[in-house]
Amino acid sequence: MARNIQSLERAAAMLRLLAGGERRLGLSDIASSLGLAKGTAHGILRTLQHEGFVEQDDASGRYQLGAELLRLGTTYLDVHELRARALVWTDDLARSSGESVHLGVLHQQGVLIVHHVFRPDDSRQVLEIGAMQPLHSTALGKVLSAYDPVAHSEALESDRKSFTDRTVCDLDDFEHVLDITRARGYAADVEETWEGVASIAAPIHDRRRMPVGAVGVTGAVERLGRDGELRPELIAAVRDCARAVSRDLGAGRF
């Protein structure tokens, strides 16, 4: 038992060392800094790398923190501070757009809805907090896949199921959609997940400029679109909401 605890302590010290510098570290640097034999340090690094907590640069062989550790580090923010910071802005977006608003974060191989503001009318609606949405077809999912490396990997590895005849399933076509999403700063879903339904979403970043979620509006195609195109004022409103939440999280101006 004591040996196992010592291994955990060494792994934790290794992660702190990698987190404390702005450059990648080689095996010799890590072993020397922590007073470990190279073989011991290499064994721990291999385990951390296998779990996604550490990544090794192919060209230099040096190590840095992995995406899985970064994702775990934002879990508390995703489900607590993110929602708290977004409450006012998502309410405003629902009022200004007249549509329902969803706030989503990456969870396993999908988008977990952590906040939902009803469309401000008298229609009957179902609260969707806790619901899961696919990464490859929804606007929220495309945004996360475009900006979050972990979400991107999950989307590529998942079964990109066809929900309608508009769903993009081919890998190359999907990557092209993500390129467009990054270029324009928002994602769209026009009847790719549900017939007659369209969505617009934009990314939310934290103080480290890390993508921690996405916010979007969802409604009938005829309300979100005009003359075959999504309404530019709705796109602007969604992007403004995402920027406002990001600023409240300390991301500064985008």
Side-chain angles (χ1 to χ4, degrees), residues 52-111:
F53 296 147
V54 164
E55 295 174 356
Q56 186 178 26
D57 181 66
D58 291 334
S60 66
R62 291 176 175 269
Y63 295 89
Q64 64 183 10
L65 292 181
E68 178 65 12
L69 186 65
L70 298 177
R71 185 185 69 82
L72 290 176
T74 59
T75 298
Y76 179 83
L77 172 64
D78 288 345
V79 297
H80 294 283
E81 186 181 2
L82 173 59
R83 184 176 182 274
R85 298 287 187 179
L87 290 177
V88 173
W89 299 112
T90 50
D91 283 348
D92 287 347
L93 179 58
R95 278 194 299 270
S96 65
S97 67
E99 303 295 343
S100 62
V101 176
H102 295 89
L103 184 70
V105 300
L106 175 66
H107 181 67
Q108 296 176 352
Q109 290 189 326
V111 183

Side-chain angles (χ1 to χ4, degrees), residues 36-254:
L36 299 174
K38 282 188 179 181
T40 301
H42 187 246
I44 296 172
L45 284 167
R46 285 185 60 185
T47 300
L48 292 173
Q49 185 178 359
H50 178 73
E51 296 298 328
F53 296 147
V54 164
E55 295 174 356
Q56 186 178 26
D57 181 66
D58 291 334
S60 66
R62 291 176 175 269
Y63 295 89
Q64 64 183 10
L65 292 181
E68 178 65 12
L69 186 65
L70 298 177
R71 185 185 69 82
L72 290 176
T74 59
T75 298
Y76 179 83
L77 172 64
D78 288 345
V79 297
H80 294 283
E81 186 181 2
L82 173 59
R83 184 176 182 274
R85 298 287 187 179
L87 290 177
V88 173
W89 299 112
T90 50
D91 283 348
D92 287 347
L93 179 58
R95 278 194 299 270
S96 65
S97 67
E99 303 295 343
S100 62
V101 176
H102 295 89
L103 184 70
V105 300
L106 175 66
H107 181 67
Q108 296 176 352
Q109 290 189 326
V111 183
L112 174 67
I113 304 302
V114 296
H115 186 53
H116 176 199
V117 184
F118 283 161
R119 186 171 63 254
D121 58 21
D122 296 327
S123 62
R124 184 175 180 179
Q125 300 172 63
V126 178
L127 188 65
E128 296 182 23
I129 294 176
M132 292 290 294
Q133 293 187 2
L135 284 170
H136 70 286
S137 64
T138 62
L140 293 172
K142 291 176 192 176
V143 163
L144 292 174
S145 299
Y147 288 90
D148 184 341
V150 178
H152 181 249
S153 296
E154 296 286 3
L156 297 189
E157 294 171 4
S158 66
D159 178 19
R160 290 180 299 281
K161 179 182 176 182
S162 178
F163 299 105
T164 74
D165 58 6
R166 293 173 176 264
T167 308
V168 177
C169 301
D170 178 77
L171 179 58
D172 290 339
D173 292 341
F174 180 64
E175 290 283 24
H176 180 62
V177 168
L178 298 187
D179 288 340
I180 294 173
T181 298
R182 285 185 285 266
R184 64 189 184 183
Y186 72 92
D189 165 11
V190 181
E191 297 188 281
E192 293 179 49
T193 311
W194 302 281
E195 295 283 356
V197 178
S199 299
I200 304 165
I204 296 172
H205 297 80
D206 67 4
R207 60 185 60 86
R208 297 170 298 167
R209 299 289 181 106
M210 292 292 296
V212 293
V215 62
V217 296
T218 300
V221 171
E222 58 267 23
R223 293 198 306 269
L224 267 65
R226 182 189 302 129
D227 300 325
E229 300 289 339
L230 291 171
R231 291 163 52 195
E233 66 271 23
L234 286 181
I235 295 172
V238 171
R239 296 190 67 192
D240 286 345
C241 177
R243 290 191 191 102
V245 178
S246 297
R247 285 196 300 269
D248 277 4
L249 291 171
R253 298 186 63 84
F254 274 78

